[in-house]
Amino acid sequence: NFRCRSAFKLLQIDDKFRLLQPGSSVVDCGAAPGAWSQVAVQRVNSAGTDQDLPRGTVIGIDLLNIPPLDGAHFLSSHDVTDPATHAKLRELLPQGEAHIILSDMAPNASGFRDMDHERLITMCLSLIDLAEKILLPGGSLLCKYWDGVFSHQLQEKLSSVFSSVRTIKPQASRMDSAEKYFLARMYRKPFK
Ligand code: SAM
């Protein structure tokens, strides 16, 4: 039983692209109520359910409270865009690094489509800063966005640090016309 229907979007995406491997470290941004984290826990084996497979790590973050889940470590009342959260993640992740960053984050919709679009794109851009701090070279980022005029800017920024960037429209989200995902793979850590 999943906490929320959004689980099916991640399941569909992961069935196709096989992002979540046993043993992987995952950061789930905007994780409440925790359905994506439930999927991640199963697929990376972070609860150690299959003793023959490597045990992964799942860390979920949300401004809201996330009810506890076996196999996941949750940072409730945390802002993903806050550098203090990034520092905490580095402490919690094995070797301070993640294989995958997931983001199903969304701002509270104002109802003004352009404004909501721009706010979510800004949040997605902050994930690129997070990636620079925690994402392993070769790692992946999956992020939800609402399509609009700034989508292209986000795609270009992603393309500057990931070798492969594609747009995904999961079947499970077909009812929401503006909702899409970018799947960015093969992270290339920028030299600083
Ligand atoms: N993927 C989740 C699941 O399957 O249960 C559903 C996520 S829900 C669509 C979006 C979440 O993003 C909300 O819970 C919201 O509080 C969170 N969020 C929005 N802005 C955030 C931020 N700056 N930092 C952390 N979480 C944020």
Side-chain angles (χ1 to χ4, degrees), residues 68-102:
L69 172 68
D70 196 24
H73 186 118
F74 289 141
L75 298 173
S76 296
S77 313
H78 279 72
D79 185 340
V80 169
T81 65
D82 182 352
T85 304
H86 300 182
K88 232 176 218 175
L89 280 171
R90 287 185 64 106
E91 286 169 22
L92 290 170
L93 286 163
Q95 284 89 48
E97 292 171 310
H99 297 92
I100 301 139
I101 298 173
L102 303 174

Side-chain angles (χ1 to χ4, degrees), residues 74-146:
F74 289 141
L75 298 173
S76 296
S77 313
H78 279 72
D79 185 340
V80 169
T81 65
D82 182 352
T85 304
H86 300 182
K88 232 176 218 175
L89 280 171
R90 287 185 64 106
E91 286 169 22
L92 290 170
L93 286 163
Q95 284 89 48
E97 292 171 310
H99 297 92
I100 301 139
I101 298 173
L102 303 174
S103 173
D104 195 29
M105 276 196 295
N108 286 326
S110 69
F112 297 99
R113 193 180 164 128
D114 293 347
M115 193 160 104
D116 291 337
H117 156 69
E118 190 173 350
R119 283 178 63 204
L120 184 48
I121 293 287
T122 303
M123 289 162 69
C124 291
L125 287 169
S126 84
L127 296 172
I128 298 176
D129 298 330
L130 173 62
E132 203 172 312
K133 290 180 186 143
I134 64 163
L135 193 61
L136 282 159
S140 306
L141 167 67
L142 175 69
C143 67
K144 173 166 81 185
Y145 66 101
W146 291 324

Side-chain angles (χ1 to χ4, degrees), residues 1-189:
N1 269 7
F2 291 111
R3 295 177 180 183
C4 176
R5 284 194 51 76
S6 54
F8 297 104
K9 296 180 214 169
L10 181 58
L11 285 168
Q12 280 179 3
I13 293 170
D14 194 55
D15 283 342
K16 184 157 179 195
F17 297 102
R18 303 271 164 218
L19 300 171
L20 303 166
Q21 300 290 335
S24 294
S25 300
V26 181
V27 173
D28 181 11
C29 302
W36 275 32
S37 288
Q38 288 178 292
V39 172
V41 165
Q42 289 176 4
R43 300 229 159 159
V44 307
N45 193 40
S46 59
T49 310
D50 189 334
Q51 301 210 334
D52 299 331
L53 293 174
R55 188 170 181 151
T57 301
V58 174
I59 302 175
I61 310 158
D62 207 290
L63 295 170
L64 304 178
N65 181 54
I66 320 166
L69 172 68
D70 196 24
H73 186 118
F74 289 141
L75 298 173
S76 296
S77 313
H78 279 72
D79 185 340
V80 169
T81 65
D82 182 352
T85 304
H86 300 182
K88 232 176 218 175
L89 280 171
R90 287 185 64 106
E91 286 169 22
L92 290 170
L93 286 163
Q95 284 89 48
E97 292 171 310
H99 297 92
I100 301 139
I101 298 173
L102 303 174
S103 173
D104 195 29
M105 276 196 295
N108 286 326
S110 69
F112 297 99
R113 193 180 164 128
D114 293 347
M115 193 160 104
D116 291 337
H117 156 69
E118 190 173 350
R119 283 178 63 204
L120 184 48
I121 293 287
T122 303
M123 289 162 69
C124 291
L125 287 169
S126 84
L127 296 172
I128 298 176
D129 298 330
L130 173 62
E132 203 172 312
K133 290 180 186 143
I134 64 163
L135 193 61
L136 282 159
S140 306
L141 167 67
L142 175 69
C143 67
K144 173 166 81 185
Y145 66 101
W146 291 324
D147 206 5
V149 285
F150 297 107
S151 304
H152 196 67
Q153 281 180 26
L154 173 59
Q155 184 166 16
E156 281 192 347
K157 279 258 164 67
L158 289 170
S159 296
S160 70
V161 283
F162 289 88
S163 299
S164 155
V165 179
R166 63 160 72 214
T167 305
I168 298 178
K169 179 77 185 164
Q171 275 297 313
S173 78
R174 68 192 181 283
M175 299 306 286
D176 182 340
S177 59
E179 178 181 272
K180 291 183 180 174
Y181 292 81
F182 278 126
L183 173 59
R185 288 179 294 179
M186 296 306 294
Y187 183 58
R188 294 179 269 118
K189 227 175 195 38

